[in-house]
Amino acid sequence: MAPSKIKNFFARKKAEAKLKFGVAGPGRKLNSTAPPPASSSKAGPSKDDVYVPPKRSEPSAQAKAAANAALARFEGKDKKEFNTSLAAIRAQVRKELEAEKKAKEADAEHEGERQSTEQQDAEAKKDFAVQGVYFRCPMIGEEVLPYKEWKVKIKEFLYEQLAADRGLTACLIIYNCNPKDKAEVCIETLSKCIENIVNNPNEEKYKKIRMTNRMFCEKIKVCEGALEFLHAAGFAEIELDGEPHLIWSEDNIEPDCSVEVLLEALKASEPIPLELDRNLQVLLPSQVKRSNLPPDFFRVSPEEIKREQQLRTEALEQAQILKTKAMREKEELRTINRYKFSLIRIRFPNGVYLQGTFNVYEKLSQVYDFVHSCLMHESAEFTLVSPGGQKFDDQELQEKSLYDLRHVPTVVFNFSYENESKNLTDYLKEELMLLIQSF
């Protein structure tokens, strides 16, 4: 029965009950002429005359399902009702338990893979000759940190300085907190904006920048520090014709500053320099067996390196040919071009090794300076000899880079005292010998 019809049905029944019990009054005999005696109270139905509906038991689940189906048919609906039978409930429970079990198994599998990967990474690190490449930044602090950590620290440091000197700090933020290509484009565009104002002080068109402009969005807005620079240079944000604009006014320039000074600072600023830390280590012969280098040494990702090695192996298997000198040199260059840093080791006659990290473009003379600073006898003459027996005591050779000499990614030099120092038997400083560790 439709809901509207059900409401009408109950309304009609209420009207009938009211007619029967509420207005008829008490009865009397048809042949009686006297009215019934008056009553002190309003006549009404007695307790025995009131209809009490019988109590009905709760319909069963099957009856409910049948009623729902009948109601759906009556309303013209083709509706599939939920099956509440015991078999259907058991099937649904079983299905959900199986799904839960599969989900737990998948989670366990993923967790196992993650732990396996972490274990493999830990094992690989144990085999690294050095744990990473580290830097110093004397302008900011004395910490020795990886490159990525220094970039974060430099950014935090610069943003802390914005309140004190917004203009000059913004120039440094542009240089140090953005990719090089974006920073260069941004600097060029900002310089042109400021130069237009300086060279054309009466031209109003150069004093207004629409912030929805494509050039502004693609070259300025995308760079950190750019908006701060413009604010310091005298630009203020306002809304014109329903669009945000930057409007320049000389009154907005920060005290003790000028657009000429900011323009010069923008062009003269440089990235905050990081100094490569040598990560000096003194090793025993057994510790030098480790030759694998961490990802920090490479220009490309470890995945790309593995892929390249695999392709090279397959190429060698497919074409076993005699290589010309030019082919060997080309392959050698392709190999060393993958590295940014080189691990240099110096073997002393007493079997101890001195190890340091160098940029591939540093000169061999810088390796000599590094060794010289570690010697117990600082005035002693010495030379470094390659594994092939070549002495690098020539000044011209020492001015060549490690890249030019192909001392990448690792090389072991043999240390040898020269001339009057040949009789010396002590090598490294005592405090450095204490760096020897057991792994």
Side-chain angles (χ1 to χ4, degrees):
M1 188 176 292
S4 59
K5 293 187 177 182
I6 293 175
K7 289 182 180 179
N8 293 335
F9 171 79
F10 281 110
R12 190 168 62 253
K13 291 299 180 185
K14 281 186 178 179
E16 291 176 357
K18 184 176 181 182
L19 179 62
K20 181 176 180 180
F21 300 114
V23 296
R28 62 187 179 89
K29 293 182 180 180
L30 291 175
N31 58 357
S32 174
T33 56
S39 175
S40 60
S41 62
K42 190 175 180 180
S46 66
K47 185 177 181 181
D48 294 335
D49 294 331
V50 176
Y51 172 77
V52 179
K55 291 185 179 180
R56 298 179 61 185
S57 59
E58 185 71 18
S60 65
Q62 290 82 354
K64 287 182 178 180
N68 289 335
L71 183 60
R73 287 194 302 273
F74 183 84
E75 294 175 346
K77 297 179 181 179
D78 185 14
K79 183 179 178 182
K80 184 178 178 181
E81 295 296 331
F82 178 71
N83 191 348
T84 56
S85 67
L86 184 58
I89 293 173
R90 287 176 177 173
Q92 181 67 19
V93 171
R94 184 165 55 251
K95 183 178 179 181
E96 293 185 8
L97 288 175
E98 289 176 355
E100 184 180 1
K101 182 180 179 182
K102 288 181 179 179
K104 288 182 178 180
E105 290 176 351
D107 291 342
E109 185 177 351
H110 292 157
E111 179 66 18
E113 290 177 357
R114 186 186 65 79
Q115 292 180 355
S116 177
T117 302
E118 291 179 354
Q119 187 175 0
Q120 289 176 3
D121 292 342
E123 291 297 327
K125 286 183 179 180
K126 289 180 181 180
D127 202 35
F128 284 154
V130 64
Q131 292 303 305
V133 178
Y134 302 93
F135 296 86
R136 298 177 182 273
C137 186
M139 291 180 64
I140 295 180
E142 297 300 322
E143 297 96 330
V144 177
L145 302 170
Y147 180 82
K148 289 183 179 179
E149 292 185 25
W150 264 122
K151 296 305 288 185
V152 173
K153 196 173 185 66
I154 288 172
K155 183 175 180 178
E156 292 174 349
F157 171 80
L158 290 176
Y159 273 95
E160 288 172 359
Q161 313 309 311
L162 270 177
D165 195 340
R166 182 161 60 169
L168 300 180
T169 304
C171 295
L172 291 172
I173 290 175
I174 294 172
Y175 271 90
N176 291 275
C177 301
N178 297 289
K180 185 178 179 181
D181 55 342
K182 285 188 178 181
E184 290 176 349
V185 172
C186 178
I187 291 163
E188 182 182 354
T189 309
L190 289 174
S191 299
K192 189 177 293 184
C193 291
I194 302 301
E195 286 172 351
N196 286 336
I197 293 175
V198 173
N199 298 330
N200 306 278
N202 297 322
E203 289 285 347
E204 294 298 323
K205 64 180 181 179
Y206 295 127
K207 300 177 183 179
K208 181 170 67 175
I209 301 174
R210 184 162 54 89
M211 298 182 71
T212 55
N213 179 279
R214 182 178 176 184
M215 177 274 294
F216 178 84
C217 294
E218 294 181 354
K219 296 182 178 182
I220 296 177
K221 191 177 180 180
V222 293
C223 276
E224 290 192 53
L227 282 176
E228 286 79 1
F229 174 84
L230 288 172
H231 291 155
F235 284 89
E237 294 185 31
I238 64 172
E239 188 170 317
L240 292 177
D241 301 326
E243 287 189 304
H245 284 71
L246 287 168
I247 305 298
W248 183 85
S249 172
E250 191 173 359
D251 297 335
N252 294 331
I253 301 175
E254 293 190 345
D256 303 324
C257 195
S258 68
V259 288
E260 291 84 2
V261 170
L262 288 176
L263 180 61
E264 183 180 355
L266 182 65
K267 293 181 177 181
S269 295
E270 296 179 352
I272 294 176
L274 294 177
E275 298 178 1
L276 178 65
D277 183 73
R278 296 298 180 208
N279 193 18
L280 187 153
Q281 294 184 31
V282 180
L283 308 171
L284 296 173
S286 59
Q287 297 166 340
V288 182
K289 292 180 181 179
R290 298 190 179 99
S291 58
N292 291 338
L293 296 174
D296 293 349
F297 271 74
F298 295 89
R299 296 184 188 277
V300 296
S301 66
E303 291 76 17
E304 291 173 315
I305 294 170
K306 290 179 181 178
R307 193 182 309 116
E308 186 178 338
Q309 290 173 341
Q310 184 179 358
L311 292 174
R312 188 181 297 112
T313 302
E314 292 174 356
L316 288 173
E317 291 175 352
Q318 293 174 1
Q320 294 293 337
I321 60 174
L322 294 175
K323 296 180 181 179
T324 65
K325 183 180 179 181
M327 292 172 64
R328 289 195 298 271
E329 289 180 351
K330 186 177 181 180
E331 184 175 338
E332 185 180 17
L333 278 175
R334 187 167 60 248
T335 300
I336 67 174
N337 282 336
R338 299 183 317 194
Y339 297 91
K340 296 184 291 184
F341 304 98
S342 184
L343 192 67
I344 305 298
R345 288 166 169 166
I346 295 89
R347 183 183 183 279
F348 290 90
N350 61 357
V352 171
Y353 287 77
L354 176 67
Q355 177 175 285
T357 302
F358 290 78
N359 189 289
V360 295
Y361 298 116
E362 289 191 77
K363 297 177 180 179
L364 181 62
S365 59
Q366 291 172 280
V367 178
Y368 268 79
D369 293 340
F370 168 66
V371 176
H372 185 269
S373 67
C374 297
L375 292 179
M376 179 178 290
H377 307 285
E378 294 184 359
S379 60
E381 297 182 47
F382 69 91
T383 187
L384 300 179
V385 184
S386 72
Q390 181 184 7
K391 285 188 176 183
F392 294 95
D393 51 3
D394 184 82
Q395 191 66 29
E396 185 176 348
L397 278 176
Q398 292 186 20
E399 289 306 307
K400 290 188 175 183
S401 69
L402 299 175
Y403 177 90
D404 293 332
L405 295 170
R406 304 294 189 263
H407 295 327
V408 180
T410 61
V411 66
V412 177
F413 291 113
N414 289 309
F415 177 91
S416 175
Y417 278 126
E418 293 291 302
N419 302 327
E420 297 179 359
S421 304
K422 284 188 174 181
N423 295 326
L424 296 175
T425 56
D426 295 322
Y427 303 100
L428 295 176
K429 295 176 180 179
E430 290 184 0
E431 58 266 30
L432 297 182
M433 292 297 292
L434 297 176
L435 296 177
I436 295 178
Q437 302 179 30
S438 298
F439 291 87

